[in-house]
């Protein structure tokens, strides 16, 4: 494990203050992408712990809202912002250039606002349905934040990276994944699945169904981005993460509730 790359992944995906002991190399983000799932795992465990403590005082619905709020504070709504930008761009633009221009705009449009509201409402409802059991919430949060980031990151290199022009100031994004980054993504995801399969209500069949749903969602996102842009942007990866996270919650609710 490379400490520098892990810290860069933490700095990239969250608002947690990070101190770098040496200068960051130009290709470091591509290597750091391999740690995105690990950052998601740590985030999921943190949010589950917060939910557990809050549940000692507050009713489940309040605990879910507090958990979602903390997640947004820690990440700075990084992925949610990409999700809203994608819906604004794909919904409001006709050409690739128009879509990219809208996605760069810091203002939030009707498509993005509507999609974001529905996204948060759906997360709230799904986690509330799982709140009868702390182990179910733990499983949902850990898998949701870990596997969704692994799936979104794995899209890197599967499509061409697109931008409006060579001087376009877009959010930084990894342009490729090294074999080491791919291996670490897969290892983190498998460890999370294995541990939760052993200690939570997630059955082996449930694991198989969840993995199948995630790969289908990933492929649908790839097809969607290719059809709309001919490639992907950083916002697209954020949207893919949110879509995969929601699909994880939906699958767990379908299996358990």
């Amino acid at each position: 494990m490379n400490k520098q790359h892990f810290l860069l992944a933490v700095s990239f995906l969250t608002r947690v203050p990070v101190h770098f002991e040496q200068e960051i190399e130009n290709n470091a983000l591509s290597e750091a992408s391999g740690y995105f799932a690990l950052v998601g795992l740590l985030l999921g465990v943190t949010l589950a712990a917060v939910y557990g403590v809050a549940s000692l005082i507050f009713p489940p619905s309040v605990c879910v809202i507090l958990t979602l709020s903390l997640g947004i504070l820690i990440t700075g709504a990084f992925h949610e912002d990409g999700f809203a930008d994608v819906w604004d761009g794909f919904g409001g633009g006709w050409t690739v250039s128009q879509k990219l221009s809208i996605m760069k705009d810091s203002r939030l449009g009707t498509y993005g606002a509507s999609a974001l509201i529905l996204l948060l409402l759906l997360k709230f409802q799904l986690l509330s349905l799982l709140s009868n059991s702390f182990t179910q919430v733990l499983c949902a949060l850990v898998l949701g934040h870990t596997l969704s980031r692994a799936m979104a990151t794995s899209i890197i290199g599967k499509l061409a990276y697109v931008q409006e022009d060579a001087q376009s100031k877009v959010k930084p994004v990894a342009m490729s994944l090294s074999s080491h980054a791919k291996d670490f993504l897969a290892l983190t995801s498998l460890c999370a699945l294995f541990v939760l399969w052993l200690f939570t209500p997630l059955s082996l069949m449930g694991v198989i169904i969840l993995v199948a749903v995630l790969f289908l969602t990933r492929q649908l996102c790839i097809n969607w981005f290719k059809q709309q842009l001919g490639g992907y942007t950083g916002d697209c990866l954020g949207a893919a993460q949110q879509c995969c996270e929601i699909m994880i919650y939906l699958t767990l609710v379908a299996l358990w509730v």
Side-chain angles (χ1 to χ4, degrees), residues 50-135:
V50 169
Y51 179 92
V53 173
S55 65
L56 301 175
I57 307 171
F58 304 109
S61 59
V62 175
C63 296
V64 171
I65 293 175
L66 290 174
T67 302
L68 291 175
S69 300
L70 181 62
I72 288 174
L73 285 174
I74 293 176
T75 62
F78 186 51
H79 300 298
E80 288 83 356
D81 177 63
F83 181 83
D85 285 345
V86 162
W87 281 103
D88 269 339
F90 291 4
W94 291 99
T95 65
V96 171
S97 180
Q98 288 175 342
K99 292 171 184 177
L100 291 173
S101 179
I102 292 171
M103 290 165 69
K104 287 198 308 175
D105 196 327
S106 60
R107 292 170 295 181
L108 184 61
T110 303
Y111 284 107
S114 301
L116 195 56
I117 290 171
L118 293 173
L119 174 77
L120 294 174
L121 284 174
L122 188 54
K123 284 186 181 182
F124 169 78
Q125 184 62 34
L126 292 172
L127 290 175
S128 295
L129 289 171
L130 296 170
S131 63
N132 290 330
S133 168
F134 174 69
T135 55

Side-chain angles (χ1 to χ4, degrees), residues 186-218:
L187 179 62
T188 305
S189 302
L190 288 173
C191 286
L193 276 170
F194 181 71
V195 172
L196 290 172
W197 171 57
L198 288 178
F199 298 104
T200 68
L202 189 65
S203 65
L204 180 58
M205 181 56 65
V207 171
I208 295 172
I209 292 172
L210 182 60
V211 171
V213 168
L214 280 174
F215 274 96
L216 176 60
T217 304
R218 173 181 178 270

Side-chain angles (χ1 to χ4, degrees), residues 96 159-160 162 225-232:
V96 171
L159 293 172
V162 295
F225 303 150
K226 186 176 182 180
Q227 179 186 30
Q228 293 288 331
L229 298 178
Y232 77 97

